[in-house]
Amino acid sequence: MKKNEIKSYLKRKAEQVDVKDYSSKILNNVNHEPTFEEVTVPRRKWYVPIVSFALAVCLIVAFIPSLIKNNAPTTIELTSTETVLTDEIITASSLLTTTSPVASLTSLTESSPFDKIEVGNDIKHFLGLGNLLLNDDKVTSTLYENKDKGYEKYAYKLVVTNVEDNSSYVAYYNQAVESGEETEIKGVFIIENKTFNFEAEVETEEDESEVELKIFTNANNSDNYIKVSNSVEDDGDEYEIEYSYEIVVNGETETEVSMEFSKENGREKSSIELKHNIYIFGQLIRTTTSGYAFSYSSEEIACMVSVRDFEFEIKIPVINGNFNFDFGLLD
Amino acid sequence: MNADSYVKEFVKNDYSRFNEFYNLTKKQVYFTALSVLKDEMLAEDVLQETYVSFLETVDGYKYGSNVYSYLTVIARNKSINVYNRQKRLVFNEDALITQKHEVDFDGERNVKDILSLLHNDVEREIVTYHVILGYKFIEIAKILSMPLGTVLWRYNKAIKTLREKVGVNL
């Protein structure tokens, strides 16, 4: 049975339901005096929001400091768990680039026409994240003892490369271990030739980790930053990873992104929500939201899309382990 | 007609058109309750309680917000309260088994039976809100205080489950 048939069937059955007329009884029971009963309207959770790859830096740094040797540039092999964690964060970092869905979201207005190409690009972008997520060999991370000119004050240098498109990111940092499980990191990272200061606190346990990171987007204004929160539970066979990013401009949260990646009962899935808030003189006047949810199987990727008033689902074929996205799927 | 115009009358204790309003919104409230409670009688009780509460607190309604969502939220909260009370009352496993058999006695699947195929409460609610009540996923995310992405993939999963379980027997 097809999805639409299920929906029509359920709708039809619902239409057949005859809800009895209790209107008189209701009116008889209404106490016309005001009562103090409160209507509870669900409060929107403060899901945090957008951007960065520097997070990768933080996690990796937290996991492998002890592996660093004193000698010249040293390449360090990451363990499998660290590699998985790193991959997720690096894929998330791609949201920071100028071609990311965040950039297209922020250009949306209520009156913007539905742009098939833009939505298609976003889907491809997120599929790319999923692809990296599900394939550890798509990303390489290398940690060095730093000796680069201009960055001498930092002890470590991390280079992360996306094998798929050969893009690389570099981060320089220092770290201080506050306790056995907590590490404080401060440094800079470079993305698309721009340098950002960042600071982070990383807490790691055997199969769980939590990261809080701030990336300052304006060196002269501490009210402009990207706040990143991340939690990971990974026991090898199954994992649940959540990221939330918040882009704060002049103290106001402008864009929020929350992402979840999980594997349960052998099945991978992911979901992404993007929210862009428009402020005028400090007043929030509009929020634009879009969401994508992916469910992966060996034959296809089911993708649910919700962009403003448009909601639809597409099935993206998987051939030889690679997704085969065609813009025609959006028709 | 804008649903807010009814509300304006109710604020003035003018219920002359309540019947009209009730017929316009009753399925919204009923199916919200049914998706949580999976019991028609309890859903009807909640339906009545929801309208009584709504009318008694109608002063608090903000014009311009969605009266359907407003009713849905009241109905959902009341249903969850009833559900929690019921959970405490049902202590005999046999009673649960009896209930399950009663569902299928006539061999004809109704809405409740179909929804009952979804064992996850949230998935049942999401399917009800989207398929039966026509809410957009963004609105559902607000009602459930849940990220939109989560709503989307839970819906996807729920529909897949229904496709497998309802199958070709329709």
Side-chain angles (χ1 to χ4, degrees):
Chain A
M1 169 170 282
K2 290 179 180 171
K3 185 175 180 176
N4 283 341
E5 288 173 333
I6 285 281
K7 287 170 69 178
S8 315
Y9 178 72
L10 197 50
K11 258 186 198 169
R12 203 168 58 245
K13 287 288 178 183
E15 280 162 11
Q16 288 168 4
V17 172
D18 184 27
V19 181
K20 289 177 195 161
D21 184 2
Y22 291 106
S23 56
S24 305
K25 199 174 168 190
I26 290 165
L27 288 177
N28 285 338
N29 286 322
V30 173
N31 174 7
H32 298 291
E33 294 300 315
T35 69
F36 294 100
E37 185 176 354
E38 288 184 0
V39 176
T40 309
V41 178
R43 294 173 60 192
R44 178 174 287 283
K45 285 182 184 171
W46 188 243
Y47 281 111
V48 210
I50 232 173
V51 199
S52 155
F53 106 103
L55 190 48
V57 176
C58 306
L59 275 179
I60 296 167
V61 166
F63 290 131
I64 48 180
S66 60
L67 298 176
I68 298 176
K69 307 294 180 190
N70 293 328
N71 302 332
T74 308
T75 303
I76 297 163
E77 190 70 29
L78 304 179
T79 70
S80 57
T81 303
E82 290 146 3
T83 304
V84 170
L85 292 172
T86 305
D87 287 350
E88 320 311 343
I89 294 153
I90 290 165
T91 55
S93 77
S94 67
L95 290 175
L96 267 180
T97 62
T98 50
T99 55
S100 79
V102 173
S104 62
L105 178 78
T106 53
S107 65
L108 269 181
T109 65
E110 284 301 310
S111 56
S112 297
F114 179 74
D115 188 334
K116 193 176 81 171
I117 302 294
E118 205 163 72
V119 171
N121 280 333
D122 288 355
I123 290 171
K124 283 176 82 172
H125 188 95
F126 289 131
L127 279 174
L129 293 184
N131 196 29
L132 291 174
L133 170 71
L134 301 175
N135 297 282
D136 295 347
D137 59 342
K138 306 282 185 190
V139 173
T140 61
S141 307
T142 316
L143 186 64
Y144 301 98
E145 183 182 357
N146 180 43
K147 291 183 176 176
D148 285 2
K149 284 184 181 172
Y151 297 97
E152 291 88 349
K153 66 178 178 178
Y154 300 109
Y156 307 114
K157 173 186 178 183
L158 177 74
V159 179
V160 179
T161 304
N162 179 347
V163 178
E164 286 282 279
D165 60 7
N166 210 28
S167 56
S168 283
Y169 312 99
V170 181
Y172 300 93
Y173 55 85
N174 292 317
Q175 64 173 342
V177 178
E178 292 176 336
S179 68
E181 293 169 346
E182 288 181 23
T183 306
E184 192 180 279
I185 299 164
K186 284 187 180 178
V188 296
F189 74 91
I190 301 161
I191 182 168
E192 290 185 341
N193 296 321
K194 291 178 189 164
T195 302
F196 301 92
N197 292 323
F198 74 89
E199 56 187 44
E201 281 196 15
V202 183
E203 191 175 339
T204 56
E205 290 175 28
E206 194 176 337
D207 55 3
E208 289 182 26
S209 66
E210 284 190 19
V211 180
E212 276 213 8
L213 168 74
K214 266 189 179 182
I215 303 159
F216 296 95
T217 49
N218 183 338
N220 302 318
N221 186 347
S222 61
D223 284 340
N224 291 2
Y225 58 87
I226 295 159
K227 185 176 159 193
V228 184
S229 305
N230 165 268
S231 78
V232 177
E233 285 181 45
D234 190 336
D235 67 1
D237 293 333
E238 298 193 344
Y239 56 80
E240 190 174 310
I241 303 166
E242 294 178 10
Y243 310 100
S244 51
Y245 305 85
E246 191 173 339
I247 296 180
V248 178
V249 178
N250 295 325
E252 305 284 6
T253 301
E254 205 169 69
T255 307
E256 302 171 38
V257 174
S258 51
M259 297 194 285
E260 289 179 38
F261 298 95
S262 62
K263 183 176 178 184
E264 199 180 333
N265 301 323
R267 193 165 176 85
E268 287 100 347
K269 58 198 175 194
S270 60
S271 64
I272 293 104
E273 178 180 357
L274 302 98
K275 278 195 279 180
H276 181 57
N277 300 318
I278 308 288
Y279 289 89
I280 291 184
F281 300 120
Q283 281 285 96
L284 176 64
I285 59 161
R286 192 178 68 234
T287 299
T288 308
T289 309
S290 57
Y292 301 81
F294 301 94
S295 180
Y296 303 84
S297 75
S298 54
E299 295 87 28
E300 66 179 19
I301 301 167
C303 173
M304 293 285 301
V305 182
S306 172
V307 179
R308 289 178 297 149
D309 286 341
F310 300 94
E311 293 177 341
F312 56 90
E313 180 185 9
I314 58 171
K315 303 276 187 191
I316 298 160
V318 175
I319 299 168
N320 296 329
N322 293 313
F323 65 85
N324 185 19
F325 183 81
D326 178 353
F327 281 102
L329 290 167
L330 291 174
D331 289 329
Chain B
M1 166 169 254
N2 187 337
D4 278 7
S5 64
Y6 293 104
V7 178
K8 282 175 186 162
E9 294 171 9
F10 301 154
V11 170
K12 295 172 191 163
N13 291 347
D14 173 3
Y15 303 118
S16 54
R17 292 195 307 141
F18 175 71
N19 193 262
E20 219 174 284
F21 176 78
Y22 175 82
N23 285 325
L24 200 65
T25 55
K26 63 185 180 185
K27 285 202 172 177
Q28 210 80 16
V29 176
Y30 176 76
F31 283 115
T32 297
L34 187 67
S35 69
V36 175
L37 297 164
K38 295 183 284 180
D39 183 297
E40 289 98 338
M41 285 174 70
L42 290 175
E44 287 181 3
D45 288 346
V46 165
L47 171 129
Q48 295 172 60
E49 285 178 33
T50 298
Y51 281 105
V52 170
S53 272
F54 170 70
L55 292 174
E56 287 180 347
T57 60
V58 72
D59 285 342
Y61 174 75
K62 286 181 185 168
Y63 295 105
S65 50
N66 187 333
V67 76
Y68 294 96
S69 301
Y70 192 75
L71 282 168
T72 296
V73 172
I74 300 174
R76 182 169 188 263
N77 289 336
K78 288 195 175 295
S79 301
I80 290 169
N81 289 341
V82 171
Y83 176 81
N84 289 335
R85 275 204 304 271
Q86 289 292 313
K87 218 165 49 175
R88 286 195 291 271
L89 288 174
V90 176
F91 54 88
N92 185 338
E93 201 176 319
D94 291 342
L96 285 171
I97 292 166
T98 308
Q99 268 186 354
K100 189 174 186 301
H101 281 294
E102 282 171 0
V103 165
D104 296 319
F105 78 99
D106 62 1
E108 173 74 15
R109 283 197 172 100
N110 59 28
V111 175
K112 183 193 72 177
D113 299 337
I114 299 168
L115 292 174
S116 295
L117 296 171
L118 297 170
H119 296 302
N120 182 293
D121 296 342
V122 173
E123 285 174 13
R124 202 165 48 244
E125 282 192 83
I126 291 172
V127 168
T128 303
Y129 293 146
H130 186 67
V131 179
I132 299 177
L133 304 181
Y135 280 117
K136 298 216 168 288
F137 290 117
I138 288 175
E139 293 170 319
I140 297 170
K142 280 181 189 165
I143 290 169
L144 299 180
S145 298
M146 191 177 273
L148 176 60
T150 307
V151 171
L152 289 170
W153 70 249
R154 284 202 175 220
Y155 172 76
N156 213 21
K157 187 167 168 252
I159 291 294
K160 189 168 178 285
T161 305
L162 287 181
R163 282 175 67 177
E164 285 166 3
K165 291 190 176 175
V166 177
V168 293
N169 298 324
L170 301 179

